[in-house]
């Protein structure tokens, strides 16, 4: 059975594997604080349909309480350990089944096993404040092993901690003109791809949200990361098939067992 990946924009994807729908970092807002959606229509209502949703860290563009509130009753939600204490709005989502996880934890949903893996990223809810929950990535294993990196920088143990994967969903940009530590740009994402050596990759986390009033500030940081990642991945990881999707587009991947 093929695995299907749909990119809805930013870090929000649907992974359809083994008759289970997994939604990553759901964000369905036209505007978030100082950010507005500049490219791609808002995802249709069907994008919210999921058996399981994953939240990688507490930043508001990844843990977006209003978007989570729109998920169907009974949806399973995995969040970093400590998230409900740090984000009180999570505790009001009584229609969801919330499970707190940390790196190394495994959760079974249908025929999938989801394993939380480390990420190198400042996972605090605000730019300042206590570290109450780790930033995580996830490996979704069914017919394929799909790595959703969330937000992360490169780190020496990345390939070891993530393990063998068939598909990598890697962030290649951001929502502003400058990327700080703990992020992957197109070049660092291509290096991560070379280390992980999956069969396929999909670039995410670029070309969707941008600060209001900053359209003319370093616009290449908004438009270019996807194409730049494709170019650099061909140089550094030529054996990997890279699928650069448009907003709302899907790719079906046959995985050899």
């Amino acid at each position: 059975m093929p695995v299907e990946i749909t990119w809805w924009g930013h870090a929000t994807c649907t992974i359809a594997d083994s008759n289970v729908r997994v939604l990553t970092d759901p964000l369905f807002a036209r505007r978030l604080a100082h950010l507005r959606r500049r490219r791609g229509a808002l995802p249709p209502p069907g994008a919210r349909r999921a058996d399981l949703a994953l939240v990688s860290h507490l930043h508001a563009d990844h843990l977006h309480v209003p978007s989570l509130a729109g998920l169907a009753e009974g949806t399973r939600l995995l969040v970093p350990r400590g998230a409900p204490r740090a984000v009180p709005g999570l505790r009001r989502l009584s229609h969801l089944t919330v499970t707190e996880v940390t790196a190394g934890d495994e959760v079974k949903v249908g025929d999938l096993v989801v394993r939380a893996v480390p990420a190198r990223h400042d996972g605090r809810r605000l730019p300042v404040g206590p570290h109450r929950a780790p930033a995580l990535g996830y490996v979704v294993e069914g017919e394929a092993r799909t790595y959703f990196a969330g937000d992360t920088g490169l780190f020496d143990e990345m390939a070891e901690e993530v393990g063998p994967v068939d598909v990598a969903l890697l962030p290649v940009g951001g929502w502003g003109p400058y990327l700080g530590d703990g992020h992957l740009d197109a070049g660092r994402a291509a290096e991560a791809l070379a280390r992980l050596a999956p069969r396929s990759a999909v670039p995410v986390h670029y070309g969707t949200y941008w600060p209001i009033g900053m359209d003319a500030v370093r616009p290449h940081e908004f438009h270019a990361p996807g194409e730049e990642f494709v170019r650099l991945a061909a140089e550094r990881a030529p054996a990997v098939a890279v699928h650069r999707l448009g907003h709302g587009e899907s790719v079906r991947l046959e995985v050899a067992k």
Side-chain angles (χ1 to χ4, degrees), residues 72-216:
E73 184 170 357
T75 302
R76 187 84 176 266
L77 176 64
L78 302 190
V79 299
R81 186 170 296 168
R85 181 167 63 95
V87 185
L90 268 177
R91 300 198 291 269
R92 296 194 290 270
L93 302 180
S94 58
H95 67 299
L96 304 180
T97 302
V98 179
T99 302
E100 300 179 55
V101 295
T102 193
D105 289 349
E106 293 187 349
V107 175
K108 194 172 191 305
V109 178
D111 290 330
L112 296 185
V113 174
V114 179
R115 175 169 51 93
V117 298
R120 295 296 184 268
H121 188 67
D122 183 348
R124 291 175 288 187
R125 180 60 171 176
L126 296 172
V128 295
H131 286 271
R132 291 185 171 175
L136 299 172
Y138 295 94
V139 176
V140 178
E141 183 166 358
E143 291 292 323
R145 293 164 296 190
T146 301
Y147 171 47
F148 169 64
D151 259 346
T152 187
L154 277 172
F155 55 98
D156 291 341
E157 306 84 8
M158 177 179 272
E160 178 183 351
E161 296 281 7
V162 172
V165 292
D166 301 296
V167 185
L169 311 181
L170 294 179
V172 302
W175 52 254
Y178 301 100
L179 280 176
D181 293 337
H183 295 85
L184 297 179
D185 60 10
R188 293 192 291 271
E191 174 58 28
L193 199 64
R195 297 182 187 187
L196 295 167
R199 293 175 180 268
S200 303
V202 175
V204 303
H205 205 300
Y206 75 99
T208 308
Y209 291 91
W210 203 249
I212 293 169
M214 296 186 69
D215 292 8

Side-chain angles (χ1 to χ4, degrees), residues 1 5 34 37 60 68 73 103 119 150 153 157 171 179 184 187 189-190 203 219 228 233:
M1 177 184 297
I5 308 295
H34 64 299
R37 191 176 179 110
L68 295 174
E73 184 170 357
E157 306 84 8
L179 280 176
L184 297 179
E228 184 73 356

